[in-house]
Amino acid sequence: MADGGRADVDSQPLCFRFTKTAKARTDRTPKELLRRPSDLAEWLAAAGLTEGGRLPEVDEQLLCEARELRESIYRAARSVADGRPLTEADRDRINAWAARNDAYRALDDTGAVWRFPGPSPARSALAVLAADAVDTLGGARSGTIKVCAGTGCVAVFLDTTRGRSRRWCSMGTCGNRAKKDAMRVRHETAPSPGT
């Protein structure tokens, strides 16, 4: 599941990368990237939220719960970006998931890895995402939560630039598109030579 410019994506909190599993949010029916349980298992593995790269077991019920958590994180981030309070339902869902966290980081021969000692590694990984949302939305991470200014994009991102001047979720996609559009407009409105 590609998310545009790799560096932009990797610098974002896990919880915000998770919200990008629903695309085209400005449409009536956003494009769902987590259509099957295996999609969620693969996303968790790609995000590094598995032990040893093994795909965790995910069923339809957990997939539904994961989508609900994702949407609570997204709505909460939009609320923070807009300066509005979080809804009680979204806050409670995020907090409840974060409280289930039994995962921890450990060192092995390859570096830092996740350990999921509980009965459901996938459920534990979702709890890690919720805990990341608590840290990000609660201000433990340094930066400003924003909504992408790209045409048709409403992805949330954490602006960690010095002047907090970042406008796009990804320079590789939305930022590049905006710059190309601005160049095209300048070219179309520039006077012709000899006029």
Side-chain angles (χ1 to χ4, degrees):
M1 288 182 190
D3 275 316
R6 197 72 232 156
D8 290 335
V9 172
D10 287 344
S11 68
Q12 288 300 299
L14 278 171
C15 62
F16 286 176
R17 291 190 297 187
F18 186 50
T19 65
K20 291 186 111 182
T21 60
K23 300 281 189 192
R25 287 181 180 273
T26 55
D27 296 340
R28 262 178 213 246
T29 308
K31 181 180 178 190
E32 178 61 68
L33 299 181
L34 301 177
R35 294 181 299 274
R36 297 176 301 278
S38 61
D39 294 333
L40 176 58
E42 290 169 9
W43 188 90
L44 292 171
L49 290 173
T50 59
E51 274 191 69
R54 291 183 301 273
L55 293 183
E57 288 185 32
V58 177
D59 60 18
E60 288 291 338
Q61 175 63 35
L62 187 57
L63 175 62
C64 181
E65 291 177 46
R67 289 180 190 148
E68 289 171 351
L69 173 62
R70 177 195 63 201
E71 293 310 303
S72 285
I73 294 169
Y74 178 77
R75 286 188 301 266
R78 288 293 304 257
S79 292
V80 171
D82 296 340
R84 293 180 287 114
L86 279 60
T87 67
E88 188 174 343
D90 288 335
R91 188 182 62 241
D92 288 350
R93 179 174 286 120
I94 293 167
N95 286 337
W97 271 101
R100 298 175 183 165
N101 193 359
D102 62 353
Y104 62 93
R105 301 281 281 163
L107 290 173
D108 74 1
D109 295 338
T110 63
V113 295
W114 280 105
R115 297 287 187 234
F116 300 102
S120 172
R123 193 169 287 281
S124 296
L126 291 173
V128 168
L129 289 168
D132 187 54
V134 169
D135 287 345
T136 303
L137 300 171
R141 293 187 187 279
S142 178
T144 302
I145 297 171
K146 293 184 175 180
V147 178
C148 184
T151 303
C153 183
V154 290
V156 292
F157 67 95
L158 187 64
D159 181 0
T160 58
T161 60
R162 183 174 297 178
R164 304 296 189 250
S165 59
R166 184 172 165 178
R167 297 178 51 211
W168 303 290
C169 63
S170 169
M171 279 305 298
T173 53
C174 293
N176 190 38
R177 189 177 309 120
K179 289 182 178 201
K180 284 181 179 179
D181 289 347
M183 188 179 350
R184 188 185 76 251
V185 167
R186 280 193 305 274
H187 184 269
E188 290 172 355
T189 58
S192 307
T195 56

